[in-house]
Amino acid sequence: MGTELLAPLDLAFWHLESDAHPMHLGALAVFAPAPGVTPPHVLELLRTRAAAIPRLRMCVRDVLLPVGGAAWTVDKDFDVHRHVRRVAVGEGDFMAGATRLAGELMEQPLGRGLPPWQMYLIGGADDGPFAVLVKLHHALADGMRAVAIGAGIFDEIAATTARSAARGRPAVPPRSWLPDPREVAGMALGRIGEVGRALGVGASVVRAGRLDLRSTAFTAPSSGTRRLATADLDATALQRIRRAEGGTANDILLAVVAGALRRWMAERGEAPAATDPRALVPVSRRRPGGAVSGNRLSAYLLDLPVGAADPRERLRAVRGAMDRNKAAGPLKGAGAVAVLADQLHPLAHRFGAPLAANAARMLFDLLVTSVPLPRSALSLGGCPLSALYPMAPLARGQSLAVALSTYGGRVHVGLVADGKALPDLDRLAGAVEEEFEELRELVTGGRVAAPVS
């Protein structure tokens, strides 16, 4: 792998970052112990497998052309020991300690001169469970790409990769650097179409922008601190709710988040706001079998129906709004603001990043995203993966991001918050589980739920 220019959206994420606003995403993978597997063995396994992933050897360097651009280049001084480290949690509940420690580690920005990623082996007792925290800069990967990169540490994926490497890749016939004239015409038409879409998105952004930027729990000034919390939901119960109520599993999870926010706000003594909080719901623009490098994202905007007291009413509101979003498509509307980044010159990203970062509050209050995971059972050094909690980055001036993934019959929810703005994040995580159980009993158990006032 040689030199590769950063795609426009990757470049935007690279310049959006500051020490107080790190732009990395992550995941906390929790493993059950296996007989005879020691922490030093797991640490060495992590280092060996991470070093074998080509993308993790790449760092960002400025380039002369295009002016203001940057490129991925191989780090000639790459040392995996700089990136994979072991940290220990104290005595007590392992999961609570690992989550607290992961929050502290997520606060720390990634080194700009090195490949922008880190892994931490988080352990308690040598014969107990352990966790692996993975941090990847958003310029390096979006959610789906992060899964593809991070999966290389698992036994099942590493073994398949090794067998493929041993067999060798099929030879690719040499190709002239001059494109076929028909391809040139196709690229030109495609570019014109993208510019046209971008203009439409730009108009939608202006219409959707909110001038009333009153501070709320979700849009407090950033402190640079991070707090993490987790929740676990029953994936089988989720499918039962979906069959009974219709819509998608994601619709139900969004409605659960809305209900959890309502519960949490009530416990804090806050009445539901006159305007429902707006969520940014990322959508992948990747095509099956297409290139996997670079961020390929759009998004939908969704007003979470926190003001609705009835869980089913909230679900119907979410389902209707998401149906309208999908009918318009991921390349239309203000949520597709990432499409605009693909049309901007690198200099615009370099000098316009502060303005763009501060503009996020005009469009949305929090992020809610679903991250797909492999369905097969995974392990590390023979230790089975028991849970994987995804973690999304926080935009500047925003205090909460919620990410969800399904694995092993459970929906794992990772909540990332500004530590000073939301010190009671654990209570919000508990509200997610309570709201899901309330909806499950209401839909499948026949019990009438008491609305949360």
Side-chain angles (χ1 to χ4, degrees):
M1 183 177 293
T3 299
E4 172 193 334
L5 286 175
L6 267 71
L9 187 52
D10 301 346
L11 192 63
F13 285 132
W14 186 250
H15 289 307
L16 282 171
E17 182 175 66
S18 67
D19 287 344
H21 306 94
M23 285 301 297
H24 50 254
L25 43 82
L28 185 66
V30 183
F31 297 86
V37 181
T38 64
H41 170 73
V42 175
L43 182 64
E44 187 58 31
L45 196 60
L46 274 175
R47 287 171 172 166
T48 300
R49 290 180 177 173
I53 299 173
R55 176 60 63 173
L56 296 185
R57 291 176 168 266
M58 307 292 283
C59 58
V60 177
R61 297 281 188 264
D62 290 340
V63 296
L64 293 176
L65 293 175
V67 176
W72 293 107
T73 60
V74 175
D75 183 3
K76 296 180 180 179
D77 299 318
F78 177 77
D79 182 357
V80 73
H81 292 81
R82 295 174 175 172
H83 300 269
V84 184
R85 302 179 181 128
R86 181 186 176 190
V87 291
V89 297
E91 297 181 357
D93 182 81
F94 169 74
M95 195 61 208
T99 303
R100 175 191 55 77
L101 183 56
E104 296 173 0
L105 294 170
M106 287 292 285
E107 287 181 10
Q108 303 170 9
L110 295 165
R112 302 284 283 188
L114 300 173
W117 65 275
Q118 289 174 343
M119 292 184 190
Y120 293 92
L121 173 61
I122 301 175
D126 286 352
D127 59 349
F130 64 91
V132 175
L133 173 66
V134 180
K135 292 169 56 177
L136 298 171
H137 198 286
H138 211 333
L140 182 66
D142 55 23
M144 292 184 68
R145 179 61 172 157
V147 170
I149 293 174
I153 69 171
F154 294 114
D155 298 337
E156 297 75 12
I157 311 300
T160 301
T161 303
R163 287 194 296 269
S164 300
R167 289 194 298 266
R169 295 182 178 180
V172 177
R175 174 177 176 177
S176 169
W177 63 273
L178 289 172
D180 184 282
R182 290 170 297 183
E183 292 184 4
V184 173
M187 288 188 291
L189 289 173
R191 188 68 173 177
I192 292 172
E194 290 177 358
V195 171
R197 284 194 298 269
L199 291 174
V201 171
S204 298
V205 168
V206 173
R207 290 194 298 269
R210 298 170 299 177
L211 298 180
D212 182 9
L213 299 180
R214 290 172 295 179
S215 180
T216 69
F218 315 114
T219 57
S222 299
S223 69
T225 59
R226 292 293 180 270
R227 180 178 290 270
L228 306 182
T230 62
D232 293 271
L233 313 177
D234 186 338
T236 301
L238 176 66
Q239 292 305 320
R240 286 201 294 266
I241 296 171
R242 184 188 62 80
R243 287 193 293 270
E245 294 294 315
T248 68
N250 200 47
D251 294 342
I252 296 166
L253 293 173
L254 288 166
V256 167
V257 170
L261 291 175
R262 181 182 177 86
R263 288 173 179 268
W264 175 73
M265 292 171 68
E267 289 182 5
R268 288 165 58 107
E270 300 177 9
T275 303
D276 288 330
R278 181 180 291 175
L280 184 77
V281 184
V283 179
S284 175
R285 294 169 54 204
R286 296 190 186 281
R287 296 178 180 178
V292 294
S293 61
N295 281 272
R296 298 289 295 169
L297 291 174
S298 182
Y300 296 134
L301 292 179
L302 172 68
D303 291 333
L304 295 172
V306 171
D310 181 77
R312 276 180 162 155
E313 182 183 347
R314 288 195 292 269
L315 179 53
R316 286 193 293 268
V318 167
R319 189 174 61 203
M322 289 301 288
D323 285 347
R324 290 190 293 274
N325 275 329
K326 293 169 188 174
L331 294 180
K332 294 182 179 180
V337 67
V339 175
L340 294 175
D342 287 333
Q343 314 304 320
L344 297 179
H345 190 277
L347 280 175
H349 292 301
R350 185 177 293 270
F351 296 111
L355 178 63
N358 290 321
R361 286 184 58 195
M362 295 179 62
L363 290 178
F364 62 97
D365 300 302
L366 70 156
L367 179 102
V368 183
T369 183
S370 294
V371 180
L373 294 179
R375 295 186 178 181
S376 58
L378 299 171
S379 61
L380 174 60
C383 301
L385 175 69
S386 55
L388 194 150
Y389 301 97
M391 301 171 191
L394 294 179
R396 184 173 304 192
Q398 294 176 328
S399 306
L400 178 64
V402 183
L404 312 99
S405 63
T406 301
Y407 173 81
R410 305 290 292 176
V411 179
H412 302 295
V413 186
L415 299 97
V416 179
D418 183 284
K420 290 186 177 180
L422 275 72
D424 55 345
L425 186 65
D426 289 341
R427 185 60 219 119
L428 178 57
V432 170
E433 295 180 346
E434 293 165 5
E435 178 66 21
F436 180 80
E437 184 63 19
E438 190 78 32
L439 182 61
R440 183 195 67 79
E441 292 185 0
L442 177 64
V443 172
T444 65
R447 186 169 68 86
V448 178
V452 178
S453 59

